[in-house]
Amino acid sequence: MYTYAFLLHSSVALDLPEGISGALELVSVADVAALVEPDLPFEGLQQSDQQLMQAVLAHDRVIRELFQQVTVLPLRFGTCFVSRQGLIDHLEAHWQNYREKLTQLQGKAEYLLKLLPRPFPETMITTEVKGKDYFLAKKKLYQDQLSWQQHQQAELPKILDVIAQRYSQWQRGEPSDGIERIYLLTEHPSDRSLEEDCQDWQQQCAYWDLKLGEPLPPYHFV
């Protein structure tokens, strides 16, 4: 029983998206429901890398489309239960915990804030500079670049401290290619306070560029 997410079941009918390869349905216990694709042959998706990647993208699409309608607890790609009864047994054992978590997440979204290191504004040494003056210019250029990098790294914890003071629910992701990733959980739809905060933070940053992403399901806060 392939499962995408948990959500609070309500009397309001949801527009369920198309799944990885078929129709979706809800399996409910009390007021907590699981979004499932009952007829998905998950083992068959692993026969080729291309098919697997398409399934991963479809899994994420389903969660995002559902998130536009209701608060969700997104599950990892590949989450399966051995049977419908196995899923029901799981929900009966944990529905209160899921209900509490979903209530806490009600009306909130995850935002990805990227901190991109500004490149060192390197200046070219003109061809007119020769001999000793050339090596002195190269040395100064290297020292300026090293100083830039040091200031950049010194500025980072200050930015993180400002974010932590403003938002209690945040996580720092693994840096990749020098880009810092900060995940923030806040109200959705945003009242522009987050965008305004990012603009204020940007004005305080001389060595980093800030880029705020779109509202997402709370992947990092479940």
Side-chain angles (χ1 to χ4, degrees):
M1 182 69 67
Y2 190 87
T3 310
Y4 291 87
F6 297 134
L7 58 143
L8 289 177
H9 190 61
S10 69
S11 58
V12 179
L14 298 175
D15 182 14
L16 298 183
E18 185 72 10
I20 294 173
S21 66
L24 306 183
E25 64 180 68
L26 296 174
V27 175
S28 301
V29 169
D31 58 352
V32 175
L35 181 66
V36 303
E37 186 169 345
D39 299 322
L40 178 67
F42 182 70
E43 294 78 8
L45 300 176
Q46 305 175 56
Q47 293 180 357
S48 72
D49 291 341
Q50 181 180 5
Q51 196 173 19
L52 189 62
M53 180 55 66
Q54 290 176 346
V56 170
L57 294 175
H59 177 93
D60 186 61
R61 171 187 55 77
V62 167
I63 292 175
R64 293 194 187 203
E65 289 185 21
L66 188 65
F67 173 68
Q68 298 303 315
Q69 306 175 61
V70 66
T71 301
V72 298
L73 280 179
L75 300 177
R76 292 181 181 274
F77 172 76
T79 299
C80 297
F81 291 85
V82 294
S83 65
R84 181 182 296 270
Q85 188 58 51
L87 172 58
I88 292 174
D89 291 343
H90 177 82
L91 288 175
E92 287 178 342
H94 301 283
W95 73 269
Q96 290 180 315
N97 291 334
Y98 291 144
R99 185 183 189 281
E100 180 179 349
K101 188 65 176 179
L102 284 161
T103 301
Q104 294 171 356
L105 293 172
Q106 195 76 28
K108 296 182 179 180
E110 175 181 308
Y111 291 82
L112 171 59
L113 175 63
K114 291 184 179 180
L115 278 60
L116 296 85
R118 287 183 177 174
F120 171 64
E122 185 173 349
T123 56
M124 298 296 294
I125 301 174
T126 62
T127 55
E128 289 78 11
V129 180
K130 305 291 185 181
K132 182 179 179 180
D133 290 339
Y134 173 81
F135 288 106
L136 289 175
K138 287 284 288 185
K139 181 179 179 181
K140 183 179 185 306
L141 189 62
Y142 172 77
Q143 291 174 336
D144 290 346
Q145 184 176 17
L146 184 61
S147 176
W148 177 276
Q149 293 171 347
Q150 291 172 341
H151 280 90
Q152 197 168 62
Q153 291 306 309
E155 188 175 68
L156 179 59
K158 297 178 182 178
I159 302 173
L160 298 180
D161 185 59
V162 169
I163 293 173
Q165 290 181 23
R166 180 69 177 86
Y167 292 90
S168 59
Q169 293 180 291
W170 70 283
Q171 293 184 26
R172 182 181 179 184
E174 287 293 329
S176 177
D177 298 326
I179 299 174
E180 294 284 340
R181 288 170 169 79
I182 308 300
Y183 301 97
L184 299 157
L185 186 69
T186 187
E187 298 301 320
H188 171 60
S190 173
D191 59 0
R192 286 191 53 82
S193 61
L194 178 55
E195 294 181 14
E196 292 171 357
D197 285 339
C198 288
Q199 292 171 3
D200 291 341
W201 298 338
Q202 183 65 81
Q203 293 176 1
Q204 302 174 42
C205 296
Y207 300 94
W208 297 85
D209 287 319
L210 277 59
K211 183 178 180 181
L212 183 65
E214 62 183 12
L216 297 172
Y219 294 113
H220 292 82
F221 297 88
V222 298

